[in-house]
């Protein structure tokens, strides 16, 4: 049940692969079985094949999942195969020694104190997020302030997918030119692309879009198979902004949102994200969207990947595209994964309202070209044309 084999028609195209994966992606995992699947897909042009791996967020977050995927791949071409992702050993903490009743009672007391402190930090964080925006600083991380867009249409079973790869070094250079991060670059170019995409469809927003960005709460070296994330909500640029001004706005807005999360304990930050998504899910399930603004317009997540090439036996990995889930009234998810000099983008959208998602990937590449020119101009250089590594 969990490991499947699919053969596409001979010399299948990337679009045919995406159409097959889209159908698999919209199907819920069976709650009566362990919440993962692996599908080996062959028949692609050039003697290529694909692996479609599906894992529920209740088991792993993005960082934990990718650790296991990378551990199931080799760093050199080899005839031998490592264990599959669901059987890899990525290192675990030594089992704790048995506790006495007294020690168990003491630990329960510690947990109670931690939860009380988390509740206090959570309440203060919500109050800070809901404070009147300072005219000088702008708002921090504030959910439920997004305009209603096609990304917030009722979710229906069809899923639309698109893939894109951009050169990692060029993205890093653009970020450095503005004093920002890779994540700032990704948020900026997707924001600019969405404005172009929506304008062509007569649905141009008059207010800034809001992106929800997951924030990892893992310590260095933490390999536990679980979910340890919070979230920030970033008010993006206004429609008429140039790409350079949009980048500067995103850097400032993301910085304010991250600072609010840093003020919370890890427990409070986790509680905050859980509370926001519980409310958003209830709004979505009860169809109360006319009474409450969307929690966000899109989810954008950056998952650390591999700095080196990877292989499955003798086969070289040509792309690792993360495809995440939709929910809580948010019908667009863009997840990034770094891989051996490239940044691989996976776009997932509500197929009922965003069928032609490949156009958004094209717009994202065009926006990145604009940002790269602005960054080179800012440094006093000359821009060269870049092409996406892979686009479907």
């Amino acid at each position: 049940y969990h490991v499947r084999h699919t053969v596409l028609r001979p010399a299948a195209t990337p679009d045919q692969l995406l159409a097959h994966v889209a159908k698999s992606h919209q199907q819920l995992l069976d709650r009566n079985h362990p919440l993962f699947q692996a599908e080996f897909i062959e028949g692609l042009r050039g003697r290529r094949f694909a692996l479609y791996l599906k894992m529920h967020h209740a088991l792993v977050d993005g960082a934990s999942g990718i650790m296991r995927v990378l551990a199931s791949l080799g760093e050199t071409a080899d005839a031998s195969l490592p264990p599959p992702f669901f059987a890899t050993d990525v290192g675990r903490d030594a089992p704790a020694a048995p506790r006495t009743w007294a020690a168990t009672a003491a630990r329960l007391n510690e947990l109670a104190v931690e939860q009380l402190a988390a509740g206090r930090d959570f309440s203060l964080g919500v109050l800070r997020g809901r404070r009147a925006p300072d005219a000088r600083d702008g708002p921090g991380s504030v959910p439920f302030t997004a305009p209603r867009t096609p990304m917030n249409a009722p979710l229906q079973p069809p899923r639309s997918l698109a893939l894109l790869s951009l050169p990692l070094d060029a993205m890093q250079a653009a970020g450095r030119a503005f004093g920002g991060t890779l994540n700032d670059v990704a948020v900026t170019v997707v924001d600019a692309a969405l404005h172009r995409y929506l304008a062509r469809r007569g649905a141009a927003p008059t207010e800034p879009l809001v992106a929800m960005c997951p924030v990892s709460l893992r310590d260095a070296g933490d390999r536990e198979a679980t979910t340890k994330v919070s979230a920030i909500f970033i008010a993006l640029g206004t429609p008429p902004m140039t790409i350079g001004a949009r980048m500067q706005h995103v850097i400032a807005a993301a910085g304010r949102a991250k600072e609010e999360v840093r003020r919370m304990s890890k427990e409070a930050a986790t509680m905050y994200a859980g509370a926001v998504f519980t409310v958003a899910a209830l709004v979505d399930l009860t169809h109360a969207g006319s009474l409450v603004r969307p929690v966000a317009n899109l989810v954008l997540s950056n998952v650390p990947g591999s700095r080196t090439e990877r292989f499955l036996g003798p086969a070289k990995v040509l792309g690792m595209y993360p495809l995440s889930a939709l929910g809580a009234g948010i019908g667009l998810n863009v997840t990034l994964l770094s891989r051996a000099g490239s940044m691989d983008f996976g776009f997932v959208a509500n197929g009922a309202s965003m069928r032609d998602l490949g156009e958004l990937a094209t717009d994202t590449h065009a926006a990145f070209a604009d940002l790269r020119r602005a960054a080179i101009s800012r440094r006093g250089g000359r821009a060269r044309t870049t092409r996406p590594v892979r686009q479907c």
Side-chain angles (χ1 to χ4, degrees), residues 16 69 87 110 115 139 159 171 191 243 262 266 280 288 312 383:
Q16 289 168 335
V69 172
E110 290 174 8
Q115 289 301 311
R159 290 291 176 265
M171 290 184 69
D191 179 31
I243 194 70
R262 290 191 194 103
K266 287 183 180 180
L312 182 60

Side-chain angles (χ1 to χ4, degrees), residues 61 63-64 67 93 215-224 226-229 264-267 270 304:
D61 55 25
S64 176
M67 284 179 201
D93 296 332
V215 176
S216 177
L217 301 176
R218 289 180 178 274
D219 295 323
D222 183 349
R223 297 174 179 271
E224 185 180 3
T226 185
T227 297
K228 296 183 178 181
V229 293
M264 299 183 189
S265 65
K266 287 183 180 180
E267 293 81 6
T270 303

Side-chain angles (χ1 to χ4, degrees), residues 234-280:
I234 305 174
L236 305 179
T238 57
M241 278 184 175
T242 65
I243 194 70
R246 193 175 299 277
M247 176 72 172
Q248 291 172 320
H249 172 87
V250 165
I251 292 170
R256 290 191 296 270
K258 290 174 186 174
E259 182 56 33
E260 290 192 3
V261 172
R262 290 191 194 103
R263 291 175 187 157
M264 299 183 189
S265 65
K266 287 183 180 180
E267 293 81 6
T270 303
M271 187 184 296
Y272 172 74
V276 168
F277 276 96
T278 298
V279 173

Side-chain angles (χ1 to χ4, degrees), residues 100-191:
T100 64
W101 282 107
T104 300
R107 180 55 185 148
L108 288 173
N109 184 61
E110 290 174 8
L111 289 172
V113 172
E114 288 174 4
Q115 289 301 311
L116 285 172
R120 179 200 63 201
D121 290 349
F122 166 69
S123 300
L124 291 174
V126 171
L127 288 173
R128 277 195 295 264
R130 283 296 179 187
R131 72 188 187 282
D134 187 291
R136 179 174 53 84
D137 295 352
S141 179
V142 186
F144 298 104
T145 58
R148 191 159 295 283
T149 67
M151 291 88 79
N152 304 109
L155 293 176
Q156 297 184 33
R159 290 291 176 265
S160 182
L161 307 181
L163 312 177
L164 173 71
S165 290
L166 294 177
L168 187 59
D169 57 351
M171 290 184 69
Q172 290 171 328
R176 285 194 298 269
F178 287 91
T181 64
L182 272 172
N183 209 59
D184 296 328
V185 172
V187 172
T188 299
V189 297
V190 172
D191 179 31

